[in-house]
Amino acid sequence: MTTLTTPPLISFSPSGAVTGPHVAGDLPGPRSAELLARQDRWESAARVYPRHLPIALADGDGPYVRDVDGNVFIDFLDGAGVLPLGHNHPELLRAAARQLGVLTHGLDFPTPVKDAFTQAQLSMLAPGMRHRTKIHFCGPTGANAVEAAVKLCKIATGRSDVVAFQGAFHGTTYATTALSGPVARKDAVPGGMSGVHFFPYCGPGRCPEGPGPDGCSRHCADQLERALTDATSGVPLPAAVLIELVQGEGGSVPARTAFIRRIRELTRALDIPLIADEVQTGCGRTGTWFAFEQYGIEPDVIVASKALSGIGLPVALILYDAALDVWEPGAHIGTFRGDQPAFAAGVETVRIMRRDDVLGNVRARGRQCAELLAPLADHPWVRDVRGRGLIRGVELADPADGRPATEAAAAVQALALRHGLITELGGRGDAVVRLLPPLDVTAEVVGTACAILRDAVTAACRPRPGAAF
């Protein structure tokens, strides 16, 4: 087995608190293997993470998780981004526990804690947006919130089509699969939703349409403008344009600023609602509460979920311009849209974010990640090192033909896990190794994690093209 040079830190302090990663023996360990086998026997074939990260989790503490065999890992998957303050933050636990003894489920009835949560979310918007924004609580997932946003825009505009972007991921429900880029997922759902038009997404690296970086923003935006203003283009004026400011599952791809601003100018001129999918980037992940703030725009609809409760309890909502508030009573509901402990923890999350300047930490640790991972850009198997704030990605490509290096990325993920770091794969061909650290992660933990990842890339990606892993 290939070994890395990064030494594991001591895993437990004398008090029993986790202080660093530590993995002993092969993975999965015997207890994890037993639970993984039971899962394989009883759970659906749709499960994902345990196939690539073969561990069974026991408990968590801040940026760490421990498996049932006692191995400790730095968790830079972070519940797919739902734990902005890491595992088991004591203040969030107390807030949720207090609410458990008061009221747990409230449908869409007003409650004191729901009102506090609503005001906390509105308070994170710029003053110019705050006074004209409405909130709609959806079902418990981000995909449901995306569907609610599209549905609202269709009702408000009376139009039926939607514009989305190549490489996007908005969920795996029937409608959000149609709104997402991966073709294989669409092929698995016969008769998918019609009326979705995909256009090039302008991010870092090579322009999907050929021009270099300087012309990419203009070229990609021009394509959309021509399609929406040419009466013979075959693309009707849509009900909405749906976009991620940073494509998350698409490979941690930040959009170019000029591109986003052109999209906003175009949609405003044509009276098309712009939906910003901030399910993964919201609640501070990029260094501002919402990623769109860094682009100098204001969308008409914001989709948020994942990190809203701060503790992994489900909340999903859309924030939208009051001019779009055309819902009839019961037009879009969800039984589990009134999770009171999630609201209580979410209020506490906003308070802690402000008190501890967590957004400042995101920006500082994001710069640290960029600096520590920058040397990988010179590796022959690395196409790009990118991200914004604490959503980071290392894209791997075969130097012989430029194709996504799927096997190499899987090898990097496996080696990193063996040395105590949990990462995620995404992007085209699952060839992007992605990092989603807790937003309050320390410089020490980031340093250890980046060292493990650098060594894993070096060990897994041989300089000689086509070498075995």
Side-chain angles (χ1 to χ4, degrees), residues 138-150 169-177 179 277 279 303-306 316 332:
C138 310
T141 70
N144 185 266
V146 170
E147 293 202 18
V150 170
F169 179 82
H170 299 291
T172 58
T173 61
Y174 182 77
T176 55
T177 295
L179 293 163
D277 181 345
V279 169
V303 183
S305 183
K306 282 194 183 293
H332 194 87

Side-chain angles (χ1 to χ4, degrees), residues 137-196:
F137 290 85
C138 310
T141 70
N144 185 266
V146 170
E147 293 202 18
V150 170
K151 182 176 174 181
L152 174 65
C153 291
K154 288 189 174 188
I155 295 171
T157 63
R159 306 173 199 144
S160 60
D161 289 27
V162 178
V163 164
F165 292 88
Q166 294 165 3
F169 179 82
H170 299 291
T172 58
T173 61
Y174 182 77
T176 55
T177 295
L179 293 163
S180 299
V183 174
R185 293 182 185 271
K186 301 175 193 291
D187 290 343
V189 186
M193 186 179 78
S194 61
V196 183

Side-chain angles (χ1 to χ4, degrees), residues 81-363:
V82 306
L83 301 168
L85 302 178
H87 291 271
N88 294 329
H89 191 286
E91 291 171 284
L92 301 188
L93 290 178
R94 287 195 292 269
R98 284 194 300 268
Q99 185 60 39
L100 282 171
V102 178
L103 180 70
T104 60
H105 182 262
L107 291 173
D108 60 358
F109 289 103
T111 68
V113 70
K114 183 180 183 183
D115 180 69
F117 178 84
T118 298
Q119 296 307 312
Q121 297 307 312
L122 291 173
S123 76
M124 301 303 285
L125 297 175
M129 293 186 68
R130 198 176 303 158
H131 75 280
R132 56 181 172 81
T133 295
K134 289 268 200 167
I135 291 184
H136 177 84
F137 290 85
C138 310
T141 70
N144 185 266
V146 170
E147 293 202 18
V150 170
K151 182 176 174 181
L152 174 65
C153 291
K154 288 189 174 188
I155 295 171
T157 63
R159 306 173 199 144
S160 60
D161 289 27
V162 178
V163 164
F165 292 88
Q166 294 165 3
F169 179 82
H170 299 291
T172 58
T173 61
Y174 182 77
T176 55
T177 295
L179 293 163
S180 299
V183 174
R185 293 182 185 271
K186 301 175 193 291
D187 290 343
V189 186
M193 186 179 78
S194 61
V196 183
H197 306 275
F198 286 89
F199 287 84
Y201 180 90
C202 180
R206 298 178 306 172
C207 177
E209 295 301 310
D214 293 340
C216 183
S217 296
R218 181 183 65 255
H219 186 79
C220 291
D222 283 349
Q223 280 204 48
L224 179 59
E225 181 173 4
R226 284 194 297 269
L228 296 183
T229 57
D230 182 354
T232 65
S233 70
V235 180
L237 201 66
V241 170
L242 171 65
I243 195 165
E244 299 166 277
L245 286 307
V246 180
Q247 290 188 339
E249 300 303 312
S252 305
V253 186
R256 292 189 180 276
T257 300
F259 171 68
I260 293 297
R261 290 181 178 174
R262 278 284 308 280
I263 297 298
R264 176 68 282 194
E265 291 169 3
L266 177 63
T267 53
R268 183 169 284 121
L270 297 177
D271 196 25
I272 303 169
L274 178 64
I275 304 172
D277 181 345
E278 298 259 13
V279 169
Q280 190 162 122
T281 53
C283 304
R285 172 63 56 186
T286 65
T288 49
W289 189 250
F290 288 117
F292 71 78
E293 300 170 55
Q294 299 179 41
Y295 290 84
I297 68 159
E298 293 183 356
D300 301 292
V301 185
I302 307 162
V303 183
S305 183
K306 282 194 183 293
L308 282 170
S309 75
I311 199 172
L313 296 175
V315 185
L317 54 82
I318 57 175
L319 302 103
Y320 57 93
D321 193 300
L324 295 171
D325 195 27
V326 296
W327 294 121
E328 295 291 337
H332 194 87
I333 60 174
T335 303
F336 295 102
R337 65 194 185 280
D339 189 332
Q340 307 297 301
F343 297 151
V347 172
E348 189 71 354
T349 296
V350 171
R351 186 187 71 81
I352 294 169
M353 287 272 199
R354 285 191 167 120
R355 181 195 70 191
D356 297 346
D357 187 23
V358 173
L359 296 182
N361 187 68
V362 172
R363 294 188 290 270

Side-chain angles (χ1 to χ4, degrees), residues 414-431:
L415 277 171
L417 183 72
R418 178 63 187 82
H419 288 79
L421 174 65
I422 297 175
T423 63
E424 186 179 15
L425 300 181
R428 287 169 174 79
D430 274 345

Side-chain angles (χ1 to χ4, degrees), residues 397-415:
D398 192 321
D401 55 20
R403 294 181 180 179
T406 303
E407 293 183 12
V412 170
Q413 184 187 46
L415 277 171

